[in-house]
Amino acid sequence: MEKRKTRNLIDIRDLSTKEIDELIEVANDIIDHKEKYSHKCDGKILATLFFEPSTRTRLSFESAMLRLGGKVLGFSEASSSSTAKGETLSDTVCVVSGYADIIAMRHPKEGAPVVATKRSLVPIINAGDGGHNHPTQTLTDLLTIKREKGRLDNLTIGLCGDLKFGRTIHSLIAAMSRYKNIKFVLISPNELKLPDYIIKEVLDKNKIPYIETDNMQKYMSDLDILYMTRVQKERFFNEEDYLRLKDYYILDEEKLVNAKEDLCILHPLPRVNEISTDIDDDKRAKYFIQAYNGVYIRMALILKLLEVK
Ligand code: CP
């Protein structure tokens, strides 16, 4: 089998700002003209290789390919694949890339999608690697921010919860740091602070202003976006630490008293306790719209990586 020339999406920085803006434009066009895209991927196959649980990412990828007229195959847990018999990721990807035109994969190990690109004949999309990156969640977040706020610059963004292990946070910071006049308020308990390497290599390097605090309400009135995250139970080594930190932040109406009227509340989901269900009917709660948008930005991404016009 000959290795075809392919483009992958492993890190959000694999896409230029111009390319991200174009993907958002295409996703908006798909939302407005769904029928125009319904046969764009006729005859194409997407493989979803999920070695870790997922609802939104896997199903929105599958929905995206089906809505483009293509087909899907794959597995949703390592135990139902030959990984359970000891097959390496590299061998699995090498084989599956002969069965599909594009692969979306999720893996608990940071860097696994990079390993996959070495043996794949087709584009690899990182659908989440450990506590590292989640670039297609970020594309979903950017589409949602653009649709809800009308811009991706001049924003004060509060990131709240597990900033240490939250891969959606890491990718979102990398993406938003490229837009003008962005400020971050990093809200976390001391144990779950943003890793130093992101502070140094992304925030300090790009001279992005940020404040670190453990107080959710202190800067609430300044925020244009409040991005809540769940404490990532699966990344903890110690159950006791997880139990101590899991309910550190619970967003409810009382905590929003000083928030802007046009605050946009996002969450990549799944939610555990960190947003009270009372907030769901607040007009500022956009997390279910965010999940809905995920299908359309993934449709735009599939078209781009498969070079479908
Ligand atoms: N946001 C997100 O990645 O959700 P899933 O884990 O359900 O895919």
Side-chain angles (χ1 to χ4, degrees), residues 37-44 64-71:
Y37 292 86
S38 60
H39 292 288
K40 291 279 185 192
C41 284
D42 282 356
K44 299 286 186 192
M65 191 46 137
L66 294 170
R67 285 176 189 274
L68 289 167
K71 293 187 167 55

mmCIF file of all heavy atoms in Angstrom, residues 37-44 64-71:
data_model
loop_
_atom_site.group_PDB
_atom_site.id
_atom_site.type_symbol
_atom_site.label_atom_id
_atom_site.label_comp_id
_atom_site.label_asym_id
_atom_site.label_seq_id
_atom_site.Cartn_x
_atom_site.Cartn_y
_atom_site.Cartn_z
ATOM 1 N N TYR A 37 -25.114 20.078 0.998
ATOM 2 C CA TYR A 37 -23.937 19.287 1.397
ATOM 3 C C TYR A 37 -24.231 17.792 1.530
ATOM 4 O O TYR A 37 -23.342 17.014 1.857
ATOM 5 C CB TYR A 37 -23.404 19.824 2.735
ATOM 6 C CG TYR A 37 -22.814 21.214 2.606
ATOM 7 C CD1 TYR A 37 -23.627 22.340 2.704
ATOM 8 C CD2 TYR A 37 -21.467 21.394 2.335
ATOM 9 C CE1 TYR A 37 -23.101 23.620 2.559
ATOM 10 C CE2 TYR A 37 -20.933 22.667 2.187
ATOM 11 C CZ TYR A 37 -21.755 23.778 2.295
ATOM 12 O OH TYR A 37 -21.223 25.031 2.141
ATOM 13 N N SER A 38 -25.478 17.406 1.239
ATOM 14 C CA SER A 38 -25.894 16.052 1.638
ATOM 15 C C SER A 38 -25.304 14.924 0.789
ATOM 16 O O SER A 38 -25.437 13.757 1.158
ATOM 17 C CB SER A 38 -27.422 15.955 1.667
ATOM 18 O OG SER A 38 -27.914 16.227 0.390
ATOM 19 N N HIS A 39 -24.631 15.263 -0.321
ATOM 20 C CA HIS A 39 -23.968 14.211 -1.115
ATOM 21 C C HIS A 39 -22.489 14.491 -1.333
ATOM 22 O O HIS A 39 -21.859 13.857 -2.165
ATOM 23 C CB HIS A 39 -24.673 14.065 -2.475
ATOM 24 C CG HIS A 39 -26.058 13.512 -2.340
ATOM 25 N ND1 HIS A 39 -26.309 12.203 -2.010
ATOM 26 C CD2 HIS A 39 -27.253 14.135 -2.435
ATOM 27 C CE1 HIS A 39 -27.617 12.026 -1.925
ATOM 28 N NE2 HIS A 39 -28.212 13.178 -2.170
ATOM 29 N N LYS A 40 -21.942 15.403 -0.578
ATOM 30 C CA LYS A 40 -20.541 15.811 -0.792
ATOM 31 C C LYS A 40 -19.562 14.666 -0.538
ATOM 32 O O LYS A 40 -18.474 14.651 -1.102
ATOM 33 C CB LYS A 40 -20.183 16.985 0.134
ATOM 34 C CG LYS A 40 -20.865 18.278 -0.218
ATOM 35 C CD LYS A 40 -20.157 18.980 -1.356
ATOM 36 C CE LYS A 40 -20.771 20.348 -1.621
ATOM 37 N NZ LYS A 40 -20.297 20.933 -2.878
ATOM 38 N N CYS A 41 -19.927 13.751 0.341
ATOM 39 C CA CYS A 41 -19.000 12.654 0.663
ATOM 40 C C CYS A 41 -19.563 11.298 0.252
ATOM 41 O O CYS A 41 -19.217 10.269 0.873
ATOM 42 C CB CYS A 41 -18.647 12.671 2.147
ATOM 43 S SG CYS A 41 -17.472 13.964 2.550
ATOM 44 N N ASP A 42 -20.395 11.278 -0.777
ATOM 45 C CA ASP A 42 -20.897 9.989 -1.288
ATOM 46 C C ASP A 42 -19.696 9.072 -1.579
ATOM 47 O O ASP A 42 -18.713 9.500 -2.193
ATOM 48 C CB ASP A 42 -21.678 10.210 -2.596
ATOM 49 C CG ASP A 42 -23.093 10.742 -2.332
ATOM 50 O OD1 ASP A 42 -23.479 10.860 -1.164
ATOM 51 O OD2 ASP A 42 -23.778 11.051 -3.320
ATOM 52 N N GLY A 43 -19.773 7.851 -1.114
ATOM 53 C CA GLY A 43 -18.701 6.880 -1.392
ATOM 54 C C GLY A 43 -17.523 6.955 -0.437
ATOM 55 O O GLY A 43 -16.608 6.139 -0.502
ATOM 56 N N LYS A 44 -17.527 7.922 0.471
ATOM 57 C CA LYS A 44 -16.405 8.057 1.419
ATOM 58 C C LYS A 44 -16.753 7.379 2.748
ATOM 59 O O LYS A 44 -17.930 7.304 3.133
ATOM 60 C CB LYS A 44 -16.106 9.533 1.711
ATOM 61 C CG LYS A 44 -15.711 10.333 0.484
ATOM 62 C CD LYS A 44 -14.313 9.996 0.038
ATOM 63 C CE LYS A 44 -13.883 10.900 -1.100
ATOM 64 N NZ LYS A 44 -12.672 10.436 -1.751
ATOM 65 N N ALA A 64 -21.879 13.738 11.296
ATOM 66 C CA ALA A 64 -21.304 14.634 10.274
ATOM 67 C C ALA A 64 -21.081 13.872 8.960
ATOM 68 O O ALA A 64 -21.493 14.330 7.888
ATOM 69 C CB ALA A 64 -19.995 15.228 10.781
ATOM 70 N N MET A 65 -20.451 12.684 9.051
ATOM 71 C CA MET A 65 -20.172 11.937 7.818
ATOM 72 C C MET A 65 -21.463 11.437 7.174
ATOM 73 O O MET A 65 -21.623 11.487 5.939
ATOM 74 C CB MET A 65 -19.221 10.769 8.119
ATOM 75 C CG MET A 65 -18.668 10.095 6.884
ATOM 76 S SD MET A 65 -18.072 11.254 5.609
ATOM 77 C CE MET A 65 -16.533 10.471 5.128
ATOM 78 N N LEU A 66 -22.404 10.983 8.001
ATOM 79 C CA LEU A 66 -23.687 10.508 7.446
ATOM 80 C C LEU A 66 -24.438 11.664 6.776
ATOM 81 O O LEU A 66 -25.013 11.504 5.701
ATOM 82 C CB LEU A 66 -24.544 9.871 8.550
ATOM 83 C CG LEU A 66 -23.965 8.571 9.143
ATOM 84 C CD1 LEU A 66 -24.750 8.159 10.391
ATOM 85 C CD2 LEU A 66 -23.971 7.426 8.126
ATOM 86 N N ARG A 67 -24.402 12.838 7.376
ATOM 87 C CA ARG A 67 -25.086 14.006 6.785
ATOM 88 C C ARG A 67 -24.408 14.478 5.507
ATOM 89 O O ARG A 67 -25.010 15.196 4.714
ATOM 90 C CB ARG A 67 -25.141 15.163 7.800
ATOM 91 C CG ARG A 67 -26.165 14.948 8.896
ATOM 92 C CD ARG A 67 -26.083 16.071 9.912
ATOM 93 N NE ARG A 67 -26.898 15.799 11.078
ATOM 94 C CZ ARG A 67 -28.193 16.074 11.184
ATOM 95 N NH1 ARG A 67 -28.823 16.644 10.185
ATOM 96 N NH2 ARG A 67 -28.846 15.780 12.287
ATOM 97 N N LEU A 68 -23.144 14.082 5.320
ATOM 98 C CA LEU A 68 -22.437 14.424 4.071
ATOM 99 C C LEU A 68 -22.629 13.342 3.005
ATOM 100 O O LEU A 68 -22.036 13.415 1.931
ATOM 101 C CB LEU A 68 -20.941 14.608 4.363
ATOM 102 C CG LEU A 68 -20.560 15.862 5.159
ATOM 103 C CD1 LEU A 68 -19.111 15.774 5.657
ATOM 104 C CD2 LEU A 68 -20.738 17.122 4.322
ATOM 105 N N GLY A 69 -23.389 12.312 3.333
ATOM 106 C CA GLY A 69 -23.662 11.246 2.364
ATOM 107 C C GLY A 69 -22.688 10.082 2.453
ATOM 108 O O GLY A 69 -22.792 9.111 1.681
ATOM 109 N N GLY A 70 -21.721 10.157 3.374
ATOM 110 C CA GLY A 70 -20.738 9.082 3.512
ATOM 111 C C GLY A 70 -21.204 7.995 4.470
ATOM 112 O O GLY A 70 -22.343 7.996 4.932
ATOM 113 N N LYS A 71 -20.281 7.068 4.750
ATOM 114 C CA LYS A 71 -20.595 5.954 5.653
ATOM 115 C C LYS A 71 -19.575 5.934 6.799
ATOM 116 O O LYS A 71 -18.515 6.561 6.694
ATOM 117 C CB LYS A 71 -20.552 4.632 4.886
ATOM 118 C CG LYS A 71 -21.663 4.527 3.835
ATOM 119 C CD LYS A 71 -21.696 3.135 3.225
ATOM 120 C CE LYS A 71 -22.964 2.878 2.429
ATOM 121 N NZ LYS A 71 -23.218 3.871 1.366
#
